Amino acid sequence: MKKCLLCFLLAAALLLSSCKNDAASGSVGNISDLSEPGPGDIYAEIKFLDYSEKVVFKLFPELAPVAVEEFTTRAERGFYNGRNIHRVIPDFIIQGGSVGFDGTEGNVELGELFTVESSPNARNFYGAFALVSDEFMFNYCQFYVVVNKNPVDIEAEIEVIESYLESGRELTPEARTRLQINLDIMKSIPENIRQQYLSRGGLPHLDGSVSVFGQLVSGGAVLDAIASVYVAGGNPSDDELGIMSKPVEEIIIEYIKIIRIPPLEDEEEEAQVTTARRTETPPPSNDGSISIDLNEPAGEPPAEIPSAAEEADEVDEPEENSVEPPAETPPAAEEANEFDEPESFEPEDELDGQ
């Protein structure tokens, strides 16, 4: 068992290195219950050929924003469709998404390189979804999923690594540095996380050195089935260590679908717009010279027309010295009628334009 553990450490060290702790406060990542979806959540749904059930991961844009953006951008434009899972190690990881389909490429497919985004709230528990990184701490477009379900006693593994480093075995400076990094990471894991590794399984020695950007929420049976397929040689880095990891029969990603739940802010804004569309707009204000009742049927003169005509007669009646005859009263009444029945003030017209 100790030999297997060391093999896993060394195999991971060929792909994953160094440590960077950029904790994002205010987010719980995968250290808490993820069973209930909520506003603003993002999910990745993966469908593998020959497997009917889909595998769904919740993503963590608060903890690994660049990793989530890069992954979802690739997924939404179909980059992963038709690519394979080229690496399977039972009780360790399954890995895929390689540009060259064999794990030899992955950094240059899209956009600029970006470094690892790690967080104490995103751990390598069973079902963790992460990007593979190189020895320079740059992320690949390749991803891996942790498939170790066995309980992990972190204290016991610390003892194994320490005894290995103190044994006097010949190690390259790079290998020794990486093992020391793994050891330091594991020593820094708090007690509550250690208890979760005991109950959930995982790969704690990778914490802090990779971009864990998601966690499995459904489809674990598919992951377990893939993790148990027949493998052979063919992956150079694992072949050097005597680890068989290439699936004998290809495992193909049919598609990856990104699912986004609208945040609460968007829902409130949409509700406000909808409400505004259903609410009648008040009529435009006038100068107070005439009162228009919008409840009056279109085309019917308002009840105030006679008094308006009388008022027009009083206003237009000439004084004694006026040379203008008082014959303008009828036009004034007509003018009052025109104000009472303009098309531009009809209720239906005004409401239909809103």
Side-chain angles (χ1 to χ4, degrees):
M1 182 174 178
K2 292 182 179 181
K3 181 179 179 180
C4 290
L5 171 62
L6 291 172
C7 287
F8 291 159
L9 291 172
L10 293 173
L14 291 171
L15 292 175
L16 314 166
S17 66
S18 194
C19 176
K20 178 182 178 184
N21 289 312
D22 292 330
S25 61
S27 179
V28 293
N30 64 353
I31 65 173
S32 62
D33 183 17
L34 302 177
S35 59
E36 293 297 327
D41 287 348
I42 304 176
Y43 294 86
E45 177 186 277
I46 304 181
K47 173 68 170 62
F48 295 97
L49 286 176
D50 302 324
Y51 294 87
S52 58
E53 186 179 358
K54 301 175 183 66
V55 183
V56 180
F57 299 90
K58 180 180 179 180
L59 307 186
F60 307 136
E62 301 88 353
L63 304 182
V66 181
V68 170
E69 181 181 0
E70 291 281 315
F71 175 81
T72 56
T73 299
R74 290 188 177 100
E76 288 178 324
R77 70 183 184 84
F79 167 75
Y80 292 109
N81 299 354
R83 298 194 181 274
N84 63 342
I85 298 297
H86 66 273
R87 188 180 190 219
V88 173
I89 303 178
D91 299 327
F92 186 51
I93 63 169
I94 66 172
Q95 182 174 323
S98 169
V99 172
F101 293 84
D102 58 1
T104 59
E105 298 180 68
N107 263 345
V108 296
E109 191 278 328
L110 178 67
E112 297 182 359
L113 303 180
F114 64 100
T115 56
V116 162
E117 300 170 294
S118 65
S119 169
N121 292 328
R123 300 285 179 169
N124 281 271
F125 299 129
Y126 168 80
F129 197 30
L131 292 181
V132 176
S133 62
D134 64 14
E135 66 272 20
F136 303 106
M137 287 292 287
F138 289 118
N139 285 299
Y140 283 18
C141 60
Q142 295 179 42
F143 62 82
Y144 73 84
V145 184
V146 176
V147 293
N148 177 42
K149 300 177 77 172
N150 298 315
V152 181
D153 185 339
I154 291 178
E155 282 301 322
E157 294 203 4
I158 288 174
E159 292 177 5
V160 171
I161 297 174
E162 286 180 332
S163 63
Y164 190 84
L165 288 171
E166 296 168 0
S167 65
R169 297 187 185 184
E170 231 178 279
L171 291 171
T172 65
E174 183 182 40
R176 184 171 291 276
T177 298
R178 288 172 175 171
L179 280 175
Q180 185 62 53
I181 289 170
N182 293 149
L183 180 62
D184 293 340
I185 291 172
M186 296 183 73
K187 285 183 176 180
S188 68
I189 295 176
E191 182 59 31
N192 64 317
I193 303 301
R194 296 185 182 212
Q195 292 301 317
Q196 289 203 46
Y197 273 115
L198 277 172
S199 61
R200 299 171 63 176
L203 301 172
H205 64 279
L206 299 182
D207 284 356
S209 63
V210 294
S211 297
V212 175
F213 68 100
Q215 176 66 37
L216 177 73
V217 293
S218 67
V222 174
L223 288 185
D224 296 343
I226 293 175
S228 63
V229 300
Y230 290 106
V231 293
N235 289 320
S237 60
D238 291 331
D239 290 347
E240 291 178 4
L241 297 169
I243 298 174
M244 302 295 162
S245 63
K246 186 174 182 179
V248 173
E249 295 185 6
E250 279 204 314
I251 302 167
I252 303 298
I253 300 167
E254 185 175 344
Y255 65 79
I256 297 181
K257 178 181 179 181
I258 304 302
I259 302 169
R260 304 173 191 271
I261 300 178
L264 283 175
E265 292 78 8
D266 289 352
E267 291 177 351
E268 290 174 357
E269 291 175 5
E270 183 178 354
Q272 290 174 0
V273 171
T274 302
T275 302
R277 287 177 180 172
R278 291 201 300 260
T279 302
E280 295 180 354
T281 304
S285 60
N286 55 56
D287 59 3
S289 62
I290 190 165
S291 176
I292 300 175
D293 186 358
L294 290 181
N295 294 319
E296 196 76 27
E300 289 190 13
E304 297 298 323
I305 285 181
S307 60
E310 291 171 4
E311 182 181 350
D313 288 340
E314 292 175 3
V315 172
D316 292 333
E317 189 169 348
E319 297 178 358
E320 292 181 358
N321 294 331
S322 176
V323 295
E324 293 291 334
E328 295 299 323
T329 301
E334 292 174 6
E335 184 178 352
N337 287 337
E338 289 175 3
F339 273 102
D340 289 332
E341 295 184 346
E343 292 184 0
S344 60
F345 283 89
E346 288 185 6
E348 283 91 1
D349 292 342
E350 197 65 26
L351 292 177
D352 290 342
Q354 298 302 313

